[in-house]
Amino acid sequence: MYHSIKERGRAASDYYAGSEEYFSLSPAGWTLLDALSPLVGEYCRGRVLDAGAGRGAYRRLLKDHADQYFGMDISASSATTVVGDAQSIPFSDKSFDTVFCSQVLEHVPEPKDALAEFRRLLRPGGHLILTVPHISWLHNEPHDYFRFTLHGLTHLLETTGFTVRTMSPAGGLLSLLGHIPSTLCVNLTFGIPVVHPVARALNKLWVKGVSWSDKRIEKKKIFALNYVCVSVKDEM
C-alpha cells in the first residue's frame, strides 16, 4: 500500500509539474510558491540557472523573468538543458546573473561546495535565490542528508562569500500537518476518472484554507517548514 501511494504520488507530481496546479497539491507547495513568487519577480533576471531543476516545476515562473533559462539536474529529463552535479557545475566562472535552487541543498552531501559553485558561477552583483527545508519528512532516500535552521543557513552563506538580502519562513506547522491529508487525497485518487478531478478541486480548497490559516496563526514560525532566501555575491 505504501509503495503504491508513493508511485501514484510520483505520477501525479510528474503530471502536474510546470503548472500552478503542481503547487496546489499540498499546503507545503502552496506556501513555498507564495513566498517565492515575489522574490523571483524582484531578483530573477538575465541569464538564469535553475540548479536542481528536477521536473521543471519552476521553469515557467523563471522563464517569465529570464533572458536565458538553463535547467540543470543530476539526471536528464525533459526539464534539463544540461546534466550536472551542484557540487561541480559544468559552466564557466561568472556566467550567470541569477542562480535559482529550490529544495535541493538537503540532497547534496557537501552543501558548502554547492554554495561555492553558485558563487563561482554568478557575475558581480548576481543573486542566489534559494529555498531549503527546516522541518520535513524523509524523501528521495537515501539522498536526504540535511535540514537547515535560519542561523545555520546564514552561516553557510556568509562563509561561502554571500551577503543575505532577505530570508523568511515559508509555511509552518499547519502546512506540515496539512500536507498529509493532501498527499493521501491526491495520491490515492490520481488516475481515477471523475473521482480525481473532484478530489483535486476539494483538495485545492483545503490547501488554500490551511495556507491562509498558517500565515495568521503561527506568526513566529518556530516550526518553519522551509526558508526562502535571496543572497548577493560578495566581491572579495
Side-chain angles (χ1 to χ4, degrees):
M1 181 64 144
Y2 172 72
H3 292 294
S4 174
I5 292 172
K6 282 187 73 173
E7 287 304 314
R8 282 176 176 266
R10 287 194 192 98
S13 294
D14 289 341
Y15 181 79
Y16 291 112
S19 70
E20 191 177 279
E21 289 295 318
Y22 176 81
F23 296 98
S24 66
L25 297 179
S26 159
W30 190 257
T31 52
L32 190 58
L33 180 66
D34 184 54
L36 260 177
S37 293
L39 297 178
V40 169
E42 184 173 355
Y43 293 103
C44 181
R45 59 179 172 80
R47 190 173 155 101
V48 176
L49 176 67
D50 186 356
R55 299 179 174 94
Y58 296 98
R59 179 169 50 181
R60 183 179 298 178
L61 175 64
L62 297 174
K63 277 188 168 183
D64 284 345
H65 302 280
D67 295 331
Q68 287 181 289
Y69 168 88
F70 296 84
M72 186 199 79
D73 205 89
I74 201 163
S75 301
S77 75
S78 59
T80 53
T81 311
V82 64
V83 174
D85 184 336
Q87 298 162 115
S88 181
I89 300 173
F91 285 101
S92 58
D93 295 1
K94 301 179 182 179
S95 54
F96 289 96
D97 300 291
T98 308
V99 173
F100 177 89
C101 182
S102 182
Q103 307 301 93
V104 173
L105 219 57
E106 71 270 26
H107 303 298
V108 178
E110 301 296 337
K112 200 167 185 179
D113 290 348
L115 291 174
E117 277 291 89
F118 298 160
R119 185 187 182 282
R120 178 184 68 80
L121 292 174
L122 283 169
R123 292 167 180 159
H127 288 98
L128 169 63
I129 303 172
L130 179 70
T131 82
V132 295
H134 173 231
I135 301 174
S136 184
W137 46 93
L138 281 172
H139 57 289
N140 293 353
E141 296 176 77
H143 304 293
D144 189 5
Y145 304 112
F146 300 103
R147 300 294 180 265
F148 300 87
T149 67
L150 166 73
H151 310 292
L153 183 58
T154 300
H155 173 75
L156 279 173
L157 287 163
E158 289 179 349
T159 55
T160 47
F162 286 98
T163 295
V164 176
R165 280 271 175 91
T166 178
M167 187 179 299
S168 58
L173 186 59
L174 287 181
S175 292
L176 176 67
L177 296 175
H179 173 80
I180 298 168
S182 281
T183 297
L184 291 173
C185 176
V186 171
N187 294 6
L188 289 173
T189 65
F190 183 72
I192 303 175
V194 181
V195 175
H196 180 67
V198 172
R200 183 166 53 84
L202 292 173
N203 180 61
K204 187 182 275 191
L205 293 175
W206 165 258
V207 165
K208 292 186 177 182
V210 169
S211 302
W212 185 89
S213 301
D214 197 353
K215 229 179 200 181
R216 287 154 181 81
I217 293 173
E218 194 209 332
K219 291 187 177 179
K220 290 187 177 179
K221 292 293 181 286
I222 296 171
F223 301 99
L225 187 55
N226 301 294
Y227 282 107
V228 177
C229 174
V230 176
S231 300
V232 63
K233 174 180 178 175
D234 286 344
E235 286 307 305
M236 297 178 175

